[in-house]
């Protein structure tokens, strides 16, 4: 076979930047540099090297009278053709060249994959964390002792009620504590549940980890019976018992830690004090609210309290949704919840009820109207 | 030369150079957006997406060209200067920092030049400005400026700008020199490029040079610059007063001297 083509030739007597010369690959390499001088080079003398900036060229190099010569096949198509079908004398060299290039590609390929892997590793770790977040949080929360949680809760309660007026005595406090005691008697809990009434017009109640449950006077005013308040309290108790605040805290802490490990400092991790204040603003997820509703209903059952109050209260809230009802902003749509509660009540069937001994009108009157 | 426009030129200035190009009627030059210094009446300026060489026809081709230019950190657009008058007109392009402007006849240099990313100044219309990048890991990680470079193809005239003093070396087949990666301005297409580990941790730590050198191997021409812009910028940045550098050459009066010397 004999291939012909044009390449850039470098050598003694040729311009330093090379000269484009026609060549022929037969029994020997024949080329015509300059105007007419024909040169023949035997293949034994030729070494092949990858050439050019991105190693796509082939350089044929040899020495003639002590001077280095080179023919550069800078047309990649021609270089490929020569590699695919070399003249017999060159096949050994082509094999060597191919092996070298292949090894280079292998090393580079492995290296680049490693680099890409390293870059993607944090993303993969993060995805894994997100995917398994519930399990990880659950495992972490299970290891946190109740005493620790109560300390945190005390600090949080102190901060949350720092600027508020806590009502210490009166029929409202007695009523809330009474309802609370009756509910607490119906659960086995490692927590000491404590009940507080805060003078605030918002229709709201919240639970702090460790057992503090805070009811705003706005809620007492809004409720039409003790059973309605009992429903809300049963719901809030379940947030404590199911350690929802703690889960949220661990989750957000964990995320912040993970993010700062993976992406560098995302702002200083806050101290315990700030954490405690964050507790008040933590939002429960929809799943957690539903769980608290269902478990709260079961608690009402055990405490022999009429569950229709709970459903009625959510109904009342649903009617004025969009008003200044703070309880709603973090909770699932009340109408939906009331409907689900009624379905649960029907499923559970009627249970013996011991009415709560409070004249609700008097309790409401005792906190005044504002 | 089918598409290439032949250009007459004149380079002015010593260390801060500009090149004045004479365009015949209908002739055009292409330049990096922002490089123009002045142009005579009768020269029309047109901004094109991509490199304006027309080597890849159609919108998609232009998009690919522009995307590659984005990779090298250049503007997406290039500017074409066309002489629409009936006589010869001049347009000038200035180098953006101290150094030399190198004219290169691509046709005589094998048709391809690989140059440092921001070294390209201007060229005859028809020269394609693309990118060339290294697939090899070592060069990619440690090649510094050598990883992604610009590739000028065609057979017309192109102007490249080098920082500081310029040296042109012609390498015989197999002849090799080691260069700081930042000091390479341009390589003829036939020149090999690789990265070499210095191999001595002591010289890497205390010698002030990088851990890696570029190795260029002939045959072909290479152009080297004595002062890469990044080096100059490092020194200027380190000396800036906001960075704690000293504005004075060393007065014991310090800030008071600054008040008194009268050139505030």
């Amino acid at each position: 076979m004999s291939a012909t083509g044009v390449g850039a030739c470098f050598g003694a007597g040729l311009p330093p930047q090379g000269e484009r010369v026609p060549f022929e690959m037969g029994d020997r390499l024949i080329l015509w540099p300059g105007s007419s001088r024909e040169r023949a080079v035997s293949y034994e003398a030729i070494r092949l090297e990858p050439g050019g900036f991105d190693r796509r060229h082939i350089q044929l190099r040899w020495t003639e009278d002590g001077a280095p010569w080179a023919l550069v096949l800078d047309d990649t198509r021609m270089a490929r053709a020569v590699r695919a079908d070399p003249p017999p004398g060159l096949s050994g060299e082509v094999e060597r060249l191919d092996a070298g290039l292949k090894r280079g590609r292998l090393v580079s390929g492995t290296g680049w994959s490693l680099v890409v892997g390293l870059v993607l590793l944090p993303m993969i770790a993060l995805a894994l964390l997100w995917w398994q977040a519930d399990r990880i949080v659950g495992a972490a929360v299970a290891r946190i002792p109740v005493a620790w949680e109560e300390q945190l809760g005390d600090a949080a309660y102190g901060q949350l009620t720092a600027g508020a007026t806590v009502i210490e005595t009166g029929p409202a406090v007695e009523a809330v504590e009474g309802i609370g005691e009756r509910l607490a008697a119906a659960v086995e809990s490692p927590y000491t549940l404590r009940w507080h009434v805060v003078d605030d017009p918002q229709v709201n109640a919240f639970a702090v980890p460790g057992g503090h449950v805070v009811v705003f006077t706005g809620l007492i005013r809004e409720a039409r019976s003790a059973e309605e308040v009992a429903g809300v309290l049963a719901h809030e108790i379940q947030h404590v018992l199911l350690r929802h605040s703690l889960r949220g805290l661990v989750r957000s802490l964990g995320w912040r830690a993970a993010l700062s490990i993976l992406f560098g400092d995302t702002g200083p991790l806050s101290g315990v004090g700030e954490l405690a204040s964050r507790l008040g603003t933590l939002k429960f997820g929809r799943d957690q609210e539903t769980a608290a509703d269902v478990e709260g209903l079961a608690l009402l059952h055990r405490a022999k309290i009429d569950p229709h109050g709970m459903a009625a209260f959510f109904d009342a809230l649903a009617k004025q949704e969009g008003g200044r009802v703070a309880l709603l902003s973090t909770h699932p749509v009340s109408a939906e919840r009331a409907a689900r509660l009624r379905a649960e009540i029907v499923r559970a069937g009627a249970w013996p009820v011991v009415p709560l001994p409070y004249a609700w009108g008097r309790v409401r009157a005792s906190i005044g109207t504002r | 030369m089918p598409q290439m426009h032949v250009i007459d030129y004149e380079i002015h200035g010593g260390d801060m150079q500009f090149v004045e190009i004479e365009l015949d009627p209908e002739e055009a030059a292409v330049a990096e957006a922002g490089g123009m210094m002045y142009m005579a009446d009768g020269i029309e300026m047109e901004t094109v997406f991509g490199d304006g060489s027309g080597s890849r026809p159609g919108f998609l081709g232009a998009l690919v060209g522009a995307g590659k230019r984005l990779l090298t950190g250049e503007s997406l657009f290039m500017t074409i200067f066309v002489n629409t008058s009936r006589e010869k007109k001049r347009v000038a392009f200035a180098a953006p920092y101290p150094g030399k402007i190198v004219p290169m006849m691509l046709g005589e240099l094998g048709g391809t030049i690989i140059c440092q990313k921001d070294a390209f100044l201007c060229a005859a219309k028809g020269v394609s400005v693309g990118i060339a990048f290294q697939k090899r890991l070592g060069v990619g990680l440690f090649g510094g400026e050598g990883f992604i470079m610009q590739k000028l193809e065609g057979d017309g005239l192109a102007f490249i700008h080098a920082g500081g003093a310029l040296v042109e070396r012609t390498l015989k087949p197999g002849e090799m020199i080691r260069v700081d990666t930042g000091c390479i301005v341009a390589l003829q297409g036939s020149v090999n490029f690789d990265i070499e580990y210095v191999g001595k941790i002591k010289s890497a730590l205390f010698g002030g040079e990088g851990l890696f050198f570029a190795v260029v191997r002939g045959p072909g021409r290479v152009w080297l610059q004595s002062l890469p812009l990044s080096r100059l910028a490092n020194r200027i940045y380190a000396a800036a007063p906001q960075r704690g550098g000293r504005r004075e050459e060393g007065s014991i009066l310090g800030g008071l001297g600054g008040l008194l010397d009268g050139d505030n």
Side-chain angles (χ1 to χ4, degrees), chain A residues 98-116:
Chain A
D98 280 347
L101 283 175
K102 201 172 159 188
R103 198 168 48 239
R105 263 203 306 274
L106 193 70
V107 169
S108 284
T110 321
W112 279 121
S113 327
L114 267 174
V115 168
V116 170

Side-chain angles (χ1 to χ4, degrees), chain A residues 8 10-11 16-18 20 49-57 59 61-62 68-70 72 74 104 107-108 110-112 115, chain B residues 108-110 114 132-137 140-141 146-147 149 170 172-174 187-194 218-221:
Chain A
F10 297 79
Q17 70 270 18
R20 301 206 74 78
E49 301 282 345
F53 183 72
D54 45 13
R55 310 187 118 204
R56 293 233 204 116
H57 304 168
Q59 285 180 10
R61 293 227 294 260
W62 69 94
W69 281 71
V72 179
D74 49 9
V107 169
S108 284
T110 321
W112 279 121
V115 168
Chain B
E108 291 171 6
L109 293 167
I114 310 284
F133 64 92
Q134 290 280 351
K135 294 187 191 76
R136 275 167 301 158
L137 181 71
L141 292 184
F147 178 35
M149 294 179 97
T170 302
K172 293 198 193 74
L187 310 166
Q188 198 180 332
S190 58
V191 173
N192 273 15
F193 180 93
D194 209 341
R221 274 192 188 165

Side-chain angles (χ1 to χ4, degrees), chain A:
Chain A
M1 63 143 278
S2 114
T4 57
V6 177
C9 188
F10 297 79
L14 295 181
Q17 70 270 18
E19 184 182 302
R20 301 206 74 78
V21 299
F23 67 87
E24 189 184 307
M25 282 179 174
D27 301 335
R28 292 185 301 171
L29 171 68
I30 300 171
L31 54 158
W32 293 268
S35 44
S36 60
R37 297 159 290 161
E38 180 179 295
R39 278 173 184 276
V41 189
S42 78
Y43 291 127
E44 286 93 75
I46 294 178
R47 290 282 159 274
L48 292 189
E49 301 282 345
F53 183 72
D54 45 13
R55 310 187 118 204
R56 293 233 204 116
H57 304 168
I58 295 183
Q59 285 180 10
L60 293 82
R61 293 227 294 260
W62 69 94
T63 313
E64 213 171 291
D65 303 328
W69 281 71
L71 177 69
V72 179
L73 307 184
D74 49 9
D75 179 2
T76 44
R77 230 172 324 169
M78 195 191 303
R80 219 175 297 141
V82 169
R83 272 172 63 185
D85 184 17
L90 265 186
S91 53
E93 274 295 298
V94 166
E95 264 172 41
R96 201 177 57 84
L97 177 81
D98 280 347
L101 283 175
K102 201 172 159 188
R103 198 168 48 239
R105 263 203 306 274
L106 193 70
V107 169
S108 284
T110 321
W112 279 121
S113 327
L114 267 174
V115 168
V116 170
L118 276 176
V119 170
L120 288 184
L121 197 66
M123 310 289 165
I124 295 168
L126 212 61
L128 207 69
L129 211 61
W130 182 74
W131 181 46
Q132 287 293 346
D134 272 342
R135 212 177 264 191
I136 296 167
V137 167
V141 164
R143 277 163 206 280
I144 295 174
V146 169
W148 191 89
E149 198 182 342
E150 282 183 337
Q151 265 179 17
L152 188 70
D154 287 345
Y157 172 73
Q159 281 198 11
L160 287 169
T161 55
T165 324
V166 181
I167 299 178
E168 304 285 354
T169 53
V173 180
E174 281 164 27
V176 167
E177 279 180 350
I179 298 167
E181 291 313 316
R182 181 145 158 206
L183 289 169
V187 289
E188 292 222 357
S189 126
Y191 302 100
T192 326
L193 295 168
R194 276 154 296 181
W195 313 92
H196 310 277
V197 178
V198 166
D199 189 15
D200 192 308
Q202 289 184 65
V203 180
N204 201 2
F206 61 86
V208 181
H212 293 278
V213 177
V214 177
V215 181
F216 287 178
T217 49
L219 188 139
I220 295 173
R221 206 172 293 124
E222 191 70 32
R224 282 157 304 175
S225 71
E227 275 76 12
E228 291 191 1
V229 176
V232 173
L233 292 185
H235 171 95
E236 295 300 336
I237 288 174
Q238 293 305 334
H239 278 316
V240 174
L241 298 183
L242 298 171
R243 304 182 112 180
H244 284 162
S245 303
L246 205 59
R247 291 181 82 95
L249 191 67
V250 167
R251 182 189 296 263
S252 82
L253 247 186
W255 274 120
R256 287 174 73 176
L259 289 177
S260 65
I261 287 167
L262 293 177
F263 299 112
D265 203 1
T266 53
L269 285 179
S270 41
V272 179
E274 202 215 322
L275 285 182
S277 73
R278 280 170 58 85
L279 269 182
T281 59
L282 275 180
K283 291 188 164 111
F284 297 124
R286 234 160 215 264
D287 298 351
Q288 293 183 332
E289 291 299 343
T290 308
D293 280 351
V294 172
E295 293 297 316
L297 197 65
L299 178 56
L300 290 180
H301 188 173
R302 285 198 297 277
K304 296 196 171 61
I305 295 175
D306 186 2
H308 291 97
M310 191 176 185
F313 189 68
F314 285 127
D315 270 344
L317 288 186
K319 282 204 189 89
Q320 41 174 285
E321 218 151 64
R324 49 180 190 125
V325 186
L327 196 63
L328 293 179
S329 59
T330 57
H331 288 55
V333 184
S334 299
E336 207 176 282
R337 290 174 71 185
R340 191 183 296 123
L341 271 178
R342 287 193 198 290
E344 286 285 326
I345 291 166
V346 169
R347 217 175 47 162
W351 58 64
V353 168
V354 180
L356 290 160
Y358 303 101
W360 201 246
R362 284 234 318 275
V363 171
R364 278 162 77 174
S366 75
I367 53 173
T369 48
R370 222 191 343 155

Side-chain angles (χ1 to χ4, degrees), chain B:
Chain B
M1 290 177 215
Q3 291 187 25
M4 299 291 165
H5 295 198
V6 185
I7 286 181
D8 299 317
Y9 67 92
E10 205 173 337
I11 292 175
H12 300 270
D15 285 330
M16 317 262 189
Q17 296 188 326
F18 70 94
V19 57
E20 198 180 45
I21 292 174
E22 193 173 74
L23 296 175
D24 291 338
E26 300 301 309
E27 234 174 33
V30 56
E32 214 45 80
M36 202 272 291
M37 180 182 167
Y38 67 81
M39 58 187 192
D41 185 30
I43 290 185
E44 296 284 327
M45 203 172 83
E46 191 194 344
T47 300
V48 290
F49 197 57
D51 64 7
S53 69
S55 58
R56 297 181 214 85
F59 174 73
L60 206 65
L63 205 66
V64 169
K68 285 184 164 183
R69 291 173 50 71
L70 199 65
L71 257 181
T72 64
E74 307 285 344
S75 155
L76 276 180
F77 296 90
M78 290 194 100
T79 317
I80 296 183
F81 298 84
V82 193
N83 182 1
T84 54
S85 70
R86 289 164 179 276
E87 50 211 286
K88 292 187 174 192
K89 294 287 183 187
R90 294 187 160 225
V91 55
F93 303 98
Y97 47 93
K100 301 282 179 206
I101 292 174
V102 201
M104 288 183 178
M105 223 23 233
L106 294 183
E108 291 171 6
L109 293 167
T112 306
I113 287 290
I114 310 284
C115 68
Q116 192 92 271
K117 273 186 305 201
D118 48 6
F120 173 70
L121 192 64
C122 59
K125 186 170 186 293
V127 170
S128 96
V129 184
I131 65 160
F133 64 92
Q134 290 280 351
K135 294 187 191 76
R136 275 167 301 158
L137 181 71
V139 184
L141 292 184
F142 309 112
E145 293 90 336
F147 178 35
I148 299 178
M149 294 179 97
Q150 274 186 333
K151 188 194 228 171
L152 308 181
E153 279 174 309
D155 46 20
L157 193 62
F159 293 90
I160 298 233
H161 176 248
L166 177 91
V167 61
E168 182 186 324
R169 291 286 307 267
T170 302
L171 301 176
K172 293 198 193 74
E175 188 183 354
M176 173 262 261
I177 50 171
R178 294 188 178 87
V179 194
D180 181 277
T181 51
C183 289
I184 293 177
V185 182
L187 310 166
Q188 198 180 332
S190 58
V191 173
N192 273 15
F193 180 93
D194 209 341
I195 287 293
E196 192 180 80
Y197 176 54
V198 173
K200 290 183 192 134
I201 195 74
K202 195 169 63 171
S203 66
L205 287 179
F206 305 112
E209 309 294 339
L211 263 179
F212 296 88
F213 284 138
V215 175
V216 288
R217 200 183 289 272
R221 274 192 188 165
V222 300
W223 291 262
L224 308 177
Q225 61 188 3
S226 68
L227 183 62
L229 178 63
S230 55
R231 245 183 227 185
L232 183 64
N234 272 347
R235 285 306 178 92
I236 291 175
Y237 188 60
Q242 286 87 342
R243 295 276 306 154
R246 302 179 63 141
R247 200 166 60 89
E248 321 292 329
E249 288 295 317
S251 157
I252 52 163
L253 286 175
L256 192 59
L259 279 178
L260 296 174
D261 66 7
D263 58 11
N264 281 309

